[in-house]
């Protein structure tokens, strides 16, 4: 937190090197979040740039109530969701649990790519999950954020974060189990 | 064991359970640690800095145009007002100052002193 304060203060006073440092420290996190939410490669790059432009504009409003990286992730999440909304992709509701689970497990779009290794297969499966599930999985497993931090970033209650994480992993498990069963037959 | 408990155990590295569900969860957890294929260009930092600089230039140029526009409108307004009210320059009420030659000089010095005190003591303290 002390490092965050020093860095933010240098950026506010116009130190470009300090802002470069902030980008280097957080580009992986922003890349993960935007990369998981947005399909188009060109859009991803531009949205990541927009995120850091926004960070630069709003850095004076950062109040140190959370970690700097959590605040930046919040901006990245909002930028990503706004982009999906602009593209008319529904993000407000998670589809009905039962019907979505049935559809997801029965859907074999990702299976056609399953000749690759298991990691690739799971990554393709994640692409077919709702944006909220993707975000929660990414923040928890790749960026090491806890439930409270994920709640701050996404604006979801902690219970919802836990629930989405459980459901997303459960869905992936069912697909992987089905795939492993097929492999055994072969 | 519920699925939630199983997730919890596998996440904490339980290697004893060898059920199909446990094996599938192990694969899922391991794959979830893998970095996505998308990564930012090596020049990403430079691109962001360039965009910020370009935005600043654009904004300051826009501010300049607004300022010039404001001055232009002010001059037009002044000319229109002078024509409409048939303004004739006249010292009028300020002619009494002739009787107090030191007053303008004092006012000038007083304002300078106020500014000095403000800069030297008040602004420095508040920063």
């Amino acid at each position: 937190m002390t490092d965050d304060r020093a860095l933010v203060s240098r950026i506010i006073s116009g130190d470009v090197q300090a802002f470069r440092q902030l980008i280097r420290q957080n580009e992986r996190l922003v890349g993960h979040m935007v990369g998981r939410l947005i399909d188009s490669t060109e859009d991803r790059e531009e949205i990541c740039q927009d995120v850091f432009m926004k960070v630069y504009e709003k850095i004076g409003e950062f109040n140190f109530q959370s970690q700097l990286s959590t605040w930046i992730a919040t901006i990245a999440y909002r930028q990503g969701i706004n982009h999906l909304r602009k593209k008319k992709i529904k993000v407000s509701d998670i589809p009905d649990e039962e019907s979505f689970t049935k559809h997801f497990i029965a859907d074999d779009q990702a299976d056609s790519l399953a000749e690759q290794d298991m990691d690739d297969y799971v990554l393709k499966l994640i692409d077919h999950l709702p944006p909220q599930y993707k975000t929660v999985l990414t923040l928890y497993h790749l960026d090491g954020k806890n439930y409270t931090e994920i709640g701050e970033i996404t604006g979801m209650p902690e219970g919802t974060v836990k629930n989405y994480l459980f459901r997303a992993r459960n869905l992936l498990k069912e697909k992987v189990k089905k795939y492993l069963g097929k492999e055994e037959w072969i | 064991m519920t699925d939630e408990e199983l997730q919890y155990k596998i996440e904490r590295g339980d290697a004893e359970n060898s059920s199909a569900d446990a094996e599938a969860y192990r694969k899922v957890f391991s794959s979830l640690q893998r970095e996505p294929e998308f990564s930012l260009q090596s020049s990403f930092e430079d691109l962001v800095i360039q965009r910020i600089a370009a935005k600043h230039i654009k904004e300051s140029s826009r501010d300049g145009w607004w300022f010039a526009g404001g001055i232009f409108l002010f001059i037009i307004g002044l000319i229109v007002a002078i024509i409409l009210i048939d303004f004739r320059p006249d010292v009028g009420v300020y002619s009494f100052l002739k009787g107090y030659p030191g007053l303008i000089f004092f006012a000038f010095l007083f304002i300078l002193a106020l500014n000095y005190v403000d800069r030297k003591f008040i602004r420095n303290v508040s920063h």
Side-chain angles (χ1 to χ4, degrees):
Chain A
M1 198 64 97
T2 318
D3 288 347
D4 283 354
R5 279 187 190 276
L7 189 66
V8 169
S9 147
R10 281 170 57 204
I11 294 168
I12 291 172
S13 64
D15 184 342
V16 178
Q17 290 311 316
F19 190 61
R20 281 183 183 275
Q21 189 184 331
L22 177 141
I23 295 176
R24 280 197 295 274
Q25 284 173 357
N26 294 282
E27 64 183 349
R28 187 174 158 268
L29 166 71
V30 171
H32 286 162
M33 295 194 63
V34 173
R36 277 274 159 82
L37 285 172
I38 314 295
D39 290 334
S40 150
T41 315
E42 299 96 67
D43 287 351
R44 283 170 177 170
E45 184 82 31
E46 202 182 322
I47 292 164
C48 288
Q49 288 178 21
D50 290 344
V51 170
F52 284 106
M53 299 270 295
K54 198 96 178 175
V55 167
Y56 189 79
E57 277 169 27
K58 302 273 177 192
I59 194 92
E61 294 171 22
F62 177 57
N63 56 15
F64 301 97
Q65 296 293 308
S66 61
Q67 281 189 2
L68 183 59
S69 64
T70 304
W71 181 70
I72 293 172
T74 309
I75 294 177
Y77 179 70
R78 286 187 192 151
Q79 289 283 122
I81 293 291
N82 286 344
H83 179 82
L84 294 179
R85 286 197 178 121
K86 269 189 213 158
K87 298 271 170 186
K88 312 267 182 226
I89 298 169
K90 252 193 152 187
V91 284
S92 52
D93 303 315
I94 292 284
D96 171 53
E97 187 179 355
E98 207 174 317
S99 64
F100 179 75
T101 304
K102 271 185 195 164
H103 170 76
F104 185 79
I105 294 169
D107 185 16
D108 56 3
Q109 278 183 58
D111 295 11
S112 57
L113 299 149
E115 282 159 15
Q116 307 156 55
D117 70 357
M118 180 58 70
D119 288 349
D120 288 332
Y121 178 60
V122 173
L123 290 180
K124 293 288 173 205
L125 289 175
I126 295 171
D127 285 344
H128 292 86
L129 288 171
Q132 289 89 338
Y133 284 11
K134 290 181 197 177
T135 304
V136 169
L137 283 174
T138 307
L139 287 169
Y140 187 85
H141 286 279
L142 269 178
D143 299 305
K145 296 283 179 196
N146 60 34
Y147 300 132
T148 315
E149 287 170 323
I150 299 173
E152 277 176 39
I153 293 166
T154 57
M156 298 174 201
E158 220 175 291
T160 309
V161 172
K162 279 184 195 171
N163 185 26
Y164 283 3
L165 189 64
F166 166 73
R167 279 161 65 177
R169 297 195 298 204
N170 180 264
L171 285 167
L172 295 175
K173 181 263 294 182
E174 289 300 331
K175 285 292 278 186
V176 167
K177 203 167 94 175
K178 195 175 154 194
Y179 174 64
L180 289 173
K182 268 188 200 168
E183 257 191 345
E184 275 174 23
W185 276 100
I186 297 165
Chain B
M1 187 189 297
T2 65
D3 229 46
E4 207 164 351
E5 288 165 344
L6 184 59
Q7 281 193 14
Y8 182 82
K9 283 200 162 186
I10 301 294
E11 197 181 350
R12 264 141 201 82
D14 176 16
E16 285 171 22
N17 195 329
S18 58
S19 66
D21 282 335
E23 286 304 321
Y25 268 132
R26 274 188 202 103
K27 298 233 183 259
V28 167
F29 282 0
S30 142
S31 301
L32 283 170
Q33 304 288 334
R34 206 179 105 169
E35 290 280 326
E37 282 168 18
F38 167 68
S39 63
L40 295 162
Q41 304 177 34
S42 55
S43 59
F44 178 75
E45 231 176 277
D46 296 325
L47 291 171
V48 176
I49 302 290
Q50 277 167 20
R51 273 186 67 185
I52 290 171
K55 201 178 171 201
H56 275 175
I57 291 169
K58 203 174 159 188
E59 277 172 2
S60 56
S61 144
R62 196 179 51 203
D63 289 350
W65 280 108
W66 277 111
F67 183 71
I71 297 282
F72 177 72
L73 286 175
F74 173 74
I75 292 168
I76 297 289
L78 191 68
I79 293 167
V80 170
I82 287 171
I83 294 167
L84 283 179
I85 63 169
D86 195 20
F87 178 75
R88 297 259 180 277
D90 183 8
V91 181
V93 292
Y94 300 106
S95 58
F96 81 95
L97 285 171
K98 282 180 192 167
Y100 305 96
L103 192 60
I104 293 175
F105 184 63
F106 170 75
F108 179 69
L109 282 183
F110 185 68
I111 290 167
L112 274 183
L114 271 183
N115 271 293
Y116 175 76
V117 169
D118 180 45
R119 273 170 180 268
K120 189 82 182 168
F121 303 106
I122 300 171
R123 288 193 196 190
N124 278 352
V125 170
S126 65
H127 281 198

